[in-house]
Amino acid sequence: MNVTDPVCNMEVDEKTAVTTECDGDISYFCSEGCKEKFLNGQICKLPRTSYDLIIIGGGPAGLTAAVYAATLKMDVFLIAKDLGGQAFDSTKIANYMGYDFITGPELIEKFQDQLIHSNYIDHLISEVEKIEPAEGGFIITTAELKKFFTKSVIIAAGMARRKLNVEGEETFQRMGVFSGNIQDLSFVQGEDVAVVGGGNSVLQMVENLQGVARNIHLVSVTELTADPSIIERLRGMHNVEIYELHKVVALKGDRTLSGVTIRKLAGETTVDLQVKGIFIAIGLQPSPILDSRMVNLNDRGEIMINPDCSTSYPGIFAAGDVTDAFGKRIVIASGEGAKAALAARQYIIDLRKRAA
Ligand SMILES: Cc1cc2nc3c(=O)[nH]c(=O)nc-3n(C[C@H](O)[C@H](O)[C@H](O)COP(=O)(O)OP(=O)(O)OC[C@H]3O[C@@H](n4cnc5c(N)ncnc54)[C@H](O)[C@@H]3O)c2cc1C
């Protein structure tokens, strides 16, 4: 059974968690570091709310930045909605240095180990809602309206999945509507499904569904844009029907999804597909964490960074997929995270020198 670490909010397995007993109550922690923080009473008596550096995001960029900052002995805090980011969705990573092959969850487990066991770093599982300038730094506000002061920030909030923006998309989440790489496909065992998208990630989704779903309807608003070899494989699959230049216009169902209506782009012709699941693979967009009044964004909404990961706002650094850096890859995001931590450290040293 999973329980929540009272210090950092992380979900931990009751069987493997670090524990302590106090007045007959057992508390469960992700690490010795969080247990120590709990026992020191920092959490219940005087929670820390001020740091030299706050890192936002727990993907490869944020986790690497955090571990780097810790090894540089910085006063650092990590706030992330999850520890892993998109890398969790990757079933086969064949392009990360040091491994011929590793799965996303395995690689992330190693990153997490470095964060909470090898170099304990203060962290909180939460969503950052606002970053505002303040005297000498920034105020970061989380979804629970907790406020933290920091002299510098690294934004490593990565990419968020694009949505269909069709009514019912939220209501049927995991009750028929799925995004990303789903490990447990039992919900659609032996059923007909729709997959939406036309790029390379569609193949991974269709391959995962082969042997699980009965018929697969592939719906793309454009002609298929995946690599020609992938398109050839998709067209050769006996139970895949392809609807190019079609748009999903309605999701139907009661408690769970029972059907999808698609419409041909040219004209009003609609087709009703009786499906139990719809799998959305229509790409990613930068997380909408900042508005362009604070840091310069490019026309794709990515944060524009300098070679040292600094942005147009002094004290704000950014790393990974959320930036305009070339190449959306784990190894690149990790490298940029390390660079951002080095640059943030230099920024803090310079601030101290100016104050002295
Ligand atoms: C299906 C799939 C397969 C892939 N396969 C590969 C591969 O084989 N090899 C490869 O190199 N790359 C692969 N990639 C790309 C790779 O995963 C990304 O380039 C990499 O994860 C980017 O890291 P990041 O840290 O910049 O962002 P992300 O991984 O997107 O992490 C962002 C983090 O920020 C958090 N966050 C977002 N907003 C907030 C907020 N407001 N407050 C707090 N936290 C927030 C998120 O929860 C997450 O923890 C794949 C991606 C996908 C989707």
Side-chain angles (χ1 to χ4, degrees):
M1 197 178 80
N2 277 359
V3 286
T4 306
D5 179 325
V7 176
C8 72
N9 282 349
M10 198 190 292
E11 293 283 307
V12 290
D13 185 340
E14 204 179 51
K15 290 199 196 104
T16 52
V18 175
T19 58
T20 188
E21 193 178 334
C22 186
D23 292 337
D25 287 335
I26 299 178
S27 300
Y28 300 86
F29 305 95
C30 70
S31 56
E32 289 293 341
C34 275
K35 175 175 148 185
E36 201 181 310
K37 230 177 136 184
F38 182 82
L39 292 177
N40 285 345
Q42 287 184 353
I43 285 299
C44 50
K45 290 184 190 147
L46 191 62
R48 269 201 71 190
T49 55
S50 176
Y51 294 86
D52 280 353
L53 170 65
I54 289 184
I55 297 166
I56 302 167
L63 293 177
T64 309
V67 170
Y68 246 76
T71 56
L72 293 167
K73 305 281 177 235
M74 289 187 75
D75 174 37
V76 57
F77 186 48
L78 175 88
I79 307 177
K81 282 196 283 188
D82 59 67
L83 298 184
Q86 291 169 63
F88 256 131
D89 291 342
S90 184
T91 41
K92 301 170 195 162
I93 300 169
N95 52 6
Y96 192 80
M97 280 303 291
Y99 300 96
D100 287 336
F101 170 83
I102 188 164
T103 69
E106 281 167 352
L107 184 63
I108 288 303
E109 199 181 317
K110 290 180 188 298
F111 285 0
Q112 286 185 10
D113 267 357
Q114 279 185 296
L115 178 90
I116 59 179
H117 297 305
S118 313
N119 315 273
Y120 179 78
I121 294 150
D122 275 4
H123 56 278
L124 179 72
I125 306 299
S126 182
E127 178 167 4
V128 168
E129 290 220 319
K130 242 191 289 174
I131 306 170
E132 293 163 295
E135 178 72 37
F138 307 90
I139 297 290
I140 310 269
T141 309
T142 68
E144 301 82 24
L145 299 182
K146 284 191 185 152
K147 289 192 187 292
F148 298 91
F149 172 82
T150 180
K151 292 179 191 156
S152 62
V153 191
I154 295 177
I155 300 171
M159 296 281 228
R161 288 202 175 82
R162 270 185 221 285
K163 294 190 172 175
L164 291 174
N165 291 322
V166 171
E167 206 181 319
E169 196 169 359
E170 292 308 319
T171 325
F172 295 126
Q173 272 299 324
R174 287 177 292 281
M175 301 303 281
V177 174
F178 303 96
S179 305
N181 179 34
I182 313 301
Q183 303 290 327
D184 180 6
L185 293 168
S186 53
F187 192 86
V188 294
Q189 180 74 46
E191 303 283 348
D192 287 0
V193 298
V195 173
V196 190
N200 286 346
S201 56
V202 151
L203 180 71
Q204 193 173 336
M205 217 163 246
V206 170
E207 275 184 336
N208 291 349
L209 286 161
Q210 285 287 346
V212 177
R214 194 171 46 179
N215 292 307
I216 302 171
H217 301 279
L218 177 57
V219 183
S220 172
V221 79
T222 59
E223 286 173 356
L224 297 184
T225 55
D227 296 342
S229 59
I230 291 181
I231 296 177
E232 208 179 303
R233 272 166 76 188
L234 286 169
R235 291 202 195 280
M237 291 176 180
H238 71 281
N239 62 342
V240 176
E241 184 157 358
I242 300 175
Y243 300 84
E244 283 170 293
L245 305 173
H246 277 74
K247 187 179 161 64
V248 175
V249 289
L251 303 177
K252 296 170 184 167
D254 186 8
R255 227 175 44 80
T256 61
L257 187 83
S258 60
V260 168
T261 305
I262 59 173
R263 181 167 55 79
K264 204 164 183 189
L265 286 190
E268 291 301 312
T269 320
T270 58
V271 183
D272 285 322
L273 305 172
Q274 306 300 315
V275 292
K276 182 95 189 292
I278 181 168
F279 294 80
I280 303 164
I282 52 175
L284 301 157
Q285 60 191 20
S287 297
I289 198 166
L290 265 192
D291 65 47
S292 55
R293 283 166 297 183
M294 253 182 110
V295 290
N296 291 342
L297 308 179
N298 67 12
D299 54 9
R300 287 191 297 275
E302 298 163 337
I303 300 175
M304 295 168 74
I305 52 168
N306 300 310
D308 66 350
C309 293
S310 59
T311 67
S312 54
Y313 200 107
I316 299 185
F317 301 82
D321 281 13
V322 76
T323 72
D324 64 348
F326 180 75
K328 308 295 187 206
R329 293 286 181 280
I330 296 169
V331 71
I332 295 173
S334 299
E336 293 281 306
K339 207 200 287 179
L342 284 171
R345 176 173 173 258
Q346 192 55 51
Y347 176 81
I348 295 294
I349 292 172
D350 292 346
L351 274 189
R352 283 199 195 118
K353 275 191 199 150
R354 279 205 294 277

